[in-house]
Amino acid sequence: GRDALRAKRFGEAVALLRQGLAYHPADPTARLTLAQFYVASNQRPLALKTLQDGLGDEFPGRRFLSGLFDLAEQGEDYELIVRLADRYRPRLEGDAAAGERRWLEAREFAALIASARFTEALALAATEEAGNTASEHRVLALLGAGRAADALVALAEWGRRPGADENAVLRLRVRAL
């Protein structure tokens, strides 16, 4: 299917990719390729469905979810991102999955902020591993919720911690004032 797509034999490519997915429904590369074709041909709902149909119980990987999340963001379907992040975050336990977990939390946080769900964003920030990212998320959620005074308190606490990102603290302090 991918060869036919590169050769611009689109009808054949779609048929072959669909056929391949019928035999191997868990093939993430085929799903992503077919979804990319659907996006290019202005069939966004079909692209989204193709990707969602490939989801199972296990974490599908950053590459697959990134494609799905990007598509959801384009359609402002932030609820889908939040729902999937909540679904897969518990499956990312331990140090080996820490990077994927942080990425998933960041994507969920962005979706919560974009959909003006600041209370939930604040709750998510409270569960994140302590550090600059969690502190920034906390302040951004407080600012989004219109709680500038609380954001200034959080910024002061953050700024006193060793290793605090002074540039981020200053940038957000200006925003809070």
Side-chain angles (χ1 to χ4, degrees), residues 105-126:
E105 288 169 346
R107 292 299 296 257
E108 180 177 10
F109 181 83
L112 289 169
I113 292 294
S115 59
R117 293 164 61 180
F118 304 114
T119 303
E120 292 171 76
L122 188 57
L124 177 62

Side-chain angles (χ1 to χ4, degrees), residues 51-74:
L51 292 175
Q52 286 180 288
D53 287 349
L55 296 173
D57 290 334
E58 296 300 316
F59 180 69
R62 184 186 298 204
R63 181 173 171 254
F64 189 85
L65 276 185
S66 186
L68 179 53
F69 287 176
D70 290 349
L71 196 56
E73 284 173 346
Q74 290 168 12

Side-chain angles (χ1 to χ4, degrees), residues 70-90:
D70 290 349
L71 196 56
E73 284 173 346
Q74 290 168 12
E76 296 183 4
D77 189 354
Y78 303 115
E79 177 58 35
L80 176 63
I81 297 168
V82 171
R83 196 171 58 248
L84 291 175
D86 285 342
R87 175 179 171 181
Y88 290 117
R89 191 176 332 101

Side-chain angles (χ1 to χ4, degrees), residues 16 19 30 37 59 71 81 107 155 157 171:
L16 288 170
Q19 183 179 12
F37 171 78
F59 180 69
L71 196 56
I81 297 168
R107 292 299 296 257
L155 281 164
E157 292 170 3
R171 174 178 45 84

Side-chain angles (χ1 to χ4, degrees), residues 9 13 16 18 83 115 119 137 158 172:
R9 297 188 314 265
L16 288 170
R18 284 183 183 157
R83 196 171 58 248
S115 59
T119 303
H137 284 174
W158 178 17
L172 290 170

